[in-house]
Amino acid sequence: MKFPALAAFSFLLLLLTLFALVPSAPACELAISLDCSLMNGAGTCHATTHVESGSCSGFIYSGMFTFDEASTVVMRNATSNGPFEHCFSSEDIQDQFPWAVCFGNGTLSAGQSFTVSADVSGASADIPIEAFIAVLNEEFELAFFATTFDTIEVATCVPDLAAPGTVPSGLTYEVVWTAVSQPGATYEIQESTSPNFDANVVTRTVTDLETDFVHTVSQTTTFYYRVRATSCGGVPGEFSSVTWTVVTPPAPPESPKFDLVVPLGTTQQLIQQIFVASPGGVTTTFTASVDRPWLTVSPSSGTIGPSGVTLTLFANPAELPVGATTGTVTVSFGAGKTALSNHTKSIPVSVTLVTPVGSGGKTNPAQNSLLIPAVAHVAGGAFFQSDVRLGNATSQRIDYELFFTPSNTDGTVNGKKTTIRLEPGQTAALNDIVKNFFGYAAPTDSIGGALEIRPLRTSSAASFASSRTYATTPLGTLGQFVPGVPFPEFIGNPVALPGQAPGPSVRQISLQQLSQSAAFRTNIGLLEATGLGATGRLVYYNPSGQVIGQLPFTLGPAEHRQYNVPLAALGTPIADARVEVVVDETSPGRVTAYASVIDNVTQDPFLVAPTRPSQIASNRFILPGVAAVDNPGASNFYSDVRAYNAGTSPVTATVRYVPLTGFSVGAGATTQVTIQPGEVKAWDNALKALFNLDGTGGALHFETPAASSLVVTGRTYSRAAAGTYGQFIPALLPTEGTALGERPIEVLQLEQSTDFRTNLGLIELTGKPVSIRITASVPEARVTPSVDLTLQGNEFRQYNSFLQSVLNLGNIYNGRISVSVTGGEGRIAAYASVIDNRTSDPTYVPGQ
């Protein structure tokens, strides 16, 4: 019963023939959410539809159903505030299949919302309730469709247990669990410092579904929990899966920044000592201030001597949202016209609110799931962490399930899971997510894996996720952007959406600009998504398109696996390689991949995202962010460009250079290149190699006489004394970006602070002028800053330190920018480059 909606259509389509239809309007994008408030299987379900963009007209019907003739579910009293002529349910005509539906002729417009409701009884966990919205055109063809479902939880004799992954010493926290089917059950909850419960075991017997714990520790300590019903069905119930909470001591006062991690809902005031050294070891005055209302610092002023001063920071988490909220403590030294009067020290302080985490595997992703194929927390010599951003760009509240699957494990059995709620327009900062949320916080914890973000009870695709995985060094950070990959973009068996035929079979993805040499090394990661497992092979190609090696792979259900330096198996260095990930035709699962190319000297990584060349057909490819500034020892930038011809015929492309607005060097420069089938053309320092240009930056346009399957990528970087710091940039197609009447582009992961700055790039993709509005989503802001701009056809602009220089904002640690088109025929794309102010390492963040 993979798609029960299909069978339900048979009755509904017969019903629809009784009514006339109106012609269809331009395409609309529909999303539907389902909220069932049921007690003992009875209550009311509400299916809420939102038109996210465009408009559509025709015969519209919406409702909910289960499809099982043996079902005990009953649906009755269908009602709606939507554009419908009639509402009724299966109870009205004694149909064997439970359903409730409203229908009629009408038009759905962008931004419109409406709800269909029905009373439900007899629901159980075995049969999910599904909601749908559909529009038929005048030929009775299904033109627009969205669906989602809600699985009703029914108690068993084994509770589900959850606890916060990380809490500070001395803070009270809750361990919670679900009820069992035994009415009035009593529960036995056990705590231990051993995962086997053979040391320091504490047992409590409670009648509630939660109990509180508090521990004061001087070193990081892990506490494990399990729970069972003392009696269920006449015998003691089984213990739940084991989960744990890591209790951490206060951070050292000398820390350069602070992250206070507490459970969501905490109202207890947080206290942290901060040591401030005197600049130059002299005696002078100081003032201390904060930039957020939930922070206070004491003393706020005084005298600081050679031994420094210790400040006390107070943080109030009561009104903060889930995830990390960051403020800044600023200490200014000296007064008047002294040598220290302009000297300041900025100390970031985050309060991260986390939700309870349980243990266990996951099921098949939803169609609108986003999967981040690599997240990590690595302690020890080199410290790595992953900071995730999750944005809800809809007008509805959405609950998200987050599943972390450790590498090299069966994700249907092993993992950690939690649920967070985001309000409309909210972006959550999930900093060091593997440690803070999922509890891998012990000093010896070094773990990687994958993260699935699954929207619950909604079909909306307007959720956006990204991650930055980076190493922290004494000089700053070195990192790479990791995108959230939509589940339908995984390769393997075609995905069939409800009410639609399966999509095309795509079994290859390509990774290019890889290297295994004295200068670079390459790691390749794979992720299976469906829980069915997958087999395939990595095929290595040289720039001429010749196969130079293969590596077969087998992935278990929902498994993440990373192959460190697999190109080294070739036995000889290869400075420029391409790898195809090929999934076997007999493989049941679906796969994505990534490559991380690391500079062997600086250890700076850049992530190569996968492309599906068989899905590319365009005659324009626009690569922004290329530069040639040959200024050794100072500010210098270079771009190495690659173009792969995935077609079966040679392609001759005209390459045109468009400088950034404000630059004139190279304007109008063109050349022609021919790329053979399977060949990867390489241009190191491309502006110099193609046009003999220096002292300029802009975009490259590859234009072909007919649609072709080119994959164009670049790496823009600066040279240090011995190595490089750079970012990987893929080319854009004219169909990408956004136009008038379409959804805005969202750019996440932005920061403007003492540590980071953000440059914003804007590029028109079609040669036509366009007017745009850029809106910043700023945590805790009372206003929404925005700016209106107009770009000419093909114009490319970059605003350095955009949040500060254009929007005049102060410290921003979790910024999101939306770019919408307000006029003109053009299409706009946007990206950000987030730069570490100490290492100057950039991270390219594409618009979504």
Side-chain angles (χ1 to χ4, degrees):
M1 221 169 46
K2 189 173 184 181
F3 300 120
L6 294 175
F9 287 158
S10 58
F11 167 77
L12 293 171
L13 290 177
L14 287 174
L15 182 66
L16 296 177
T17 60
L18 301 176
F19 300 91
L21 300 176
V22 297
S24 294
C28 58
E29 186 174 0
L30 304 174
I32 190 167
S33 61
L34 179 63
D35 183 16
C36 291
S37 301
L38 307 182
M39 180 67 69
N40 297 323
T44 304
C45 287
H46 305 280
T48 300
T49 293
H50 182 69
V51 186
E52 298 197 336
S53 66
S55 66
C56 54
S57 298
F59 196 87
I60 307 163
Y61 63 95
S62 181
M64 64 198 73
F65 60 90
T66 64
F67 188 69
D68 187 334
E69 51 189 319
S71 173
T72 59
V73 178
V74 175
M75 293 187 181
R76 58 171 66 89
N77 301 328
T79 60
S80 177
N81 62 354
F84 301 116
E85 301 167 16
H86 305 280
C87 292
F88 64 101
S89 60
S90 53
E91 278 287 282
D92 298 322
I93 63 170
Q94 305 298 306
D95 190 23
Q96 60 183 343
F97 303 116
W99 50 262
V101 66
C102 297
F103 52 87
N105 287 315
T107 298
L108 303 181
S109 303
Q112 184 177 358
S113 295
F114 56 86
T115 298
V116 173
S117 303
D119 295 335
V120 176
S121 60
S124 71
D126 299 327
I127 305 169
I129 295 176
E130 186 155 357
F132 61 91
I133 171 70
V135 182
L136 273 69
N137 63 21
E138 56 188 353
E139 285 82 28
F140 287 98
E141 295 171 339
L142 188 62
F144 310 108
F145 186 81
T147 185
T148 190
F149 67 90
D150 195 2
T151 301
I152 309 303
E153 294 185 2
V154 174
T156 68
C157 282
V158 183
D160 285 333
L161 178 68
T166 308
V167 299
S169 175
L171 187 82
T172 300
Y173 59 95
E174 283 186 343
V175 178
V176 299
W177 55 90
T178 58
V180 296
S181 55
Q182 179 77 42
T186 299
Y187 299 90
E188 177 186 308
I189 174 76
Q190 291 187 345
E191 177 191 73
S192 175
T193 55
S194 164
N196 300 319
F197 289 82
D198 53 11
N200 303 313
V201 177
V202 174
T203 301
R204 296 180 187 174
T205 301
V206 298
T207 56
D208 293 330
L209 297 178
E210 58 85 16
T211 188
D212 293 342
F213 291 90
V214 60
H215 295 283
T216 301
V217 300
S218 58
Q219 60 183 10
T220 301
T221 307
T222 303
F223 295 90
Y224 298 89
Y225 299 97
R226 64 184 183 182
V227 67
R228 67 176 178 178
T230 56
S231 178
C232 189
V235 297
E238 295 182 16
F239 275 111
S240 66
S241 298
V242 175
T243 192
W244 65 83
T245 296
V246 179
V247 181
T248 59
E254 300 83 4
S255 300
K257 60 181 180 179
F258 298 89
D259 190 7
L260 311 177
V261 184
V262 298
L264 183 66
T266 297
T267 59
Q268 181 177 332
Q269 188 178 57
L270 310 178
I271 301 174
Q272 173 67 51
Q273 303 298 313
I274 298 179
F275 174 77
V276 179
S278 171
V282 301
T283 298
T284 187
T285 59
F286 76 89
T287 59
S289 61
V290 295
D291 61 354
R292 297 294 185 267
W294 46 271
L295 285 176
T296 55
V297 64
S298 179
S300 59
S301 62
T303 300
I304 185 172
S307 59
V309 66
T310 297
L311 307 177
T312 301
L313 181 75
F314 302 91
N316 178 13
E319 302 299 325
L320 299 183
V322 69
T325 306
T326 304
T328 308
V329 178
T330 301
V331 183
S332 302
F333 302 96
K337 298 181 179 180
T338 67
L340 297 175
S341 59
N342 293 322
H343 191 95
T344 62
K345 179 179 179 63
S346 295
I347 305 163
V349 177
S350 297
V351 173
T352 296
L353 300 184
V354 299
T355 47
V357 175
S359 298
K362 66 188 187 76
T363 56
N364 198 3
Q367 291 296 333
N368 56 350
S369 285
L370 297 168
L371 295 101
I372 297 177
V375 291
H377 173 83
V378 178
F383 178 77
F384 288 85
Q385 71 181 63
S386 296
D387 292 350
V388 172
R389 298 293 182 266
L390 174 59
N392 172 13
T394 75
S395 59
Q396 55 185 312
R397 174 188 294 168
I398 297 181
D399 291 337
Y400 298 89
E401 276 189 324
L402 309 181
F403 298 91
F404 171 67
T405 301
S407 300
N408 308 316
T409 64
D410 182 339
T412 64
V413 177
N414 301 306
K416 303 279 280 184
K417 53 189 176 182
T418 190
T419 301
I420 67 172
R421 170 172 291 178
L422 297 189
E423 299 298 327
Q426 182 182 351
T427 301
L430 311 178
N431 291 345
D432 203 356
I433 187 170
V434 177
K435 168 185 173 288
N436 290 344
F437 273 82
F438 294 112
Y440 293 93
T444 56
D445 278 339
S446 293
I447 191 167
L451 179 72
E452 181 191 341
I453 300 170
R454 183 181 303 184
L456 297 177
R457 297 176 293 278
T458 179
S459 64
S460 173
S463 297
F464 301 94
S466 66
S467 177
R468 180 175 183 259
T469 295
Y470 57 95
T472 300
T473 74
L475 299 178
T477 64
L478 303 172
Q480 58 191 344
F481 173 83
V482 184
V485 182
F487 174 55
E489 293 185 9
F490 280 58
I491 60 170
N493 285 322
V495 172
L497 299 177
Q500 301 178 15
S505 177
V506 180
R507 295 191 177 275
Q508 290 106 355
I509 50 181
S510 179
L511 303 163
Q512 68 188 46
Q513 209 151 351
L514 313 185
S515 181
Q516 193 73 40
S517 63
F520 294 95
R521 65 187 186 275
T522 297
N523 301 332
I524 294 177
L526 302 173
L527 174 63
E528 200 284 315
T530 65
L532 300 174
T535 60
R537 61 195 183 278
L538 306 180
V539 185
Y540 308 149
Y541 294 86
N542 66 15
S544 299
Q546 298 170 319
V547 176
I548 54 176
Q550 296 193 38
L551 174 67
F553 67 80
T554 298
L555 296 175
E559 181 183 3
H560 167 264
R561 180 177 299 178
Q562 181 167 295
Y563 295 90
N564 291 338
V565 295
L567 296 178
L570 297 173
T572 57
I574 178 165
D576 207 340
R578 186 178 70 86
V579 169
E580 273 190 5
V581 180
V582 183
V583 174
D584 294 336
E585 290 188 9
T586 57
S587 175
R590 297 181 62 80
V591 175
T592 193
Y594 62 88
S596 181
V597 184
I598 306 162
D599 187 295
N600 288 330
V601 176
T602 64
Q603 306 304 311
D604 178 44
F606 66 89
L607 184 124
V608 178
T611 59
R612 300 184 295 170
S614 65
Q615 305 301 294
I616 297 174
S618 179
N619 61 358
R620 287 180 57 136
F621 307 84
I622 304 101
L623 181 65
V626 294
V629 181
D630 193 6
N631 191 9
S635 178
N636 64 87
F637 297 97
Y638 310 88
S639 295
D640 295 346
V641 175
R642 303 292 182 264
Y644 162 53
N645 178 8
T648 57
S649 303
V651 171
T652 298
T654 299
V655 186
R656 183 160 51 96
Y657 176 61
V658 178
L660 274 165
T661 299
F663 282 72
S664 59
V665 175
T670 62
T671 189
Q672 282 196 331
V673 298
T674 299
I675 311 169
Q676 299 301 318
E679 181 186 13
V680 178
K681 282 281 191 182
W683 299 279
D684 289 344
N685 195 4
L687 294 185
K688 183 77 171 178
L690 288 169
F691 307 110
N692 197 32
L693 295 177
D694 186 31
T696 187
L700 290 177
H701 293 239
F702 286 71
E703 300 170 354
T704 59
S708 59
S709 299
L710 293 185
V711 180
V712 180
T713 60
R715 178 176 182 256
T716 294
Y717 59 93
S718 60
R719 294 173 183 161
T724 63
Y725 298 94
Q727 57 190 349
F728 180 82
I729 304 175
L732 297 160
L733 307 183
T735 54
E736 296 176 327
T738 192
L740 186 66
E742 298 180 358
R743 263 201 327 226
I745 296 171
E746 306 290 341
V747 190
L748 284 69
Q749 211 98 19
L750 310 185
E751 181 169 336
Q752 188 76 39
S753 67
T754 302
D755 294 333
F756 290 91
R757 65 188 186 274
T758 295
N759 299 339
L760 178 68
L762 303 167
I763 187 165
E764 200 287 315
L765 301 174
T766 64
K768 300 176 182 179
V770 62
S771 298
I772 63 173
R773 174 166 296 160
I774 306 172
T775 304
S777 175
V778 180
E780 304 175 271
R782 296 183 179 180
V783 296
T784 304
S786 64
V787 62
D788 292 324
L789 300 170
T790 298
L791 274 71
Q792 300 305 310
N794 297 324
E795 185 177 359
F796 176 34
R797 294 188 195 177
Q798 180 168 298
Y799 293 92
N800 294 339
S801 299
F802 176 83
L803 297 172
Q804 181 183 68
S805 63
V806 177
L807 298 182
N808 198 30
L809 300 174
N811 290 326
I812 302 298
Y813 295 93
N814 176 25
R816 186 180 98 217
I817 282 176
S818 298
V819 182
S820 57
V821 175
T822 57
E825 299 180 16
R827 297 187 68 85
I828 193 76
Y831 70 87
S833 183
V834 183
I835 305 165
D836 187 298
N837 288 330
R838 293 159 295 174
T839 62
S840 294
D841 178 48
T843 299
Y844 176 81
V845 181
Q848 302 182 54

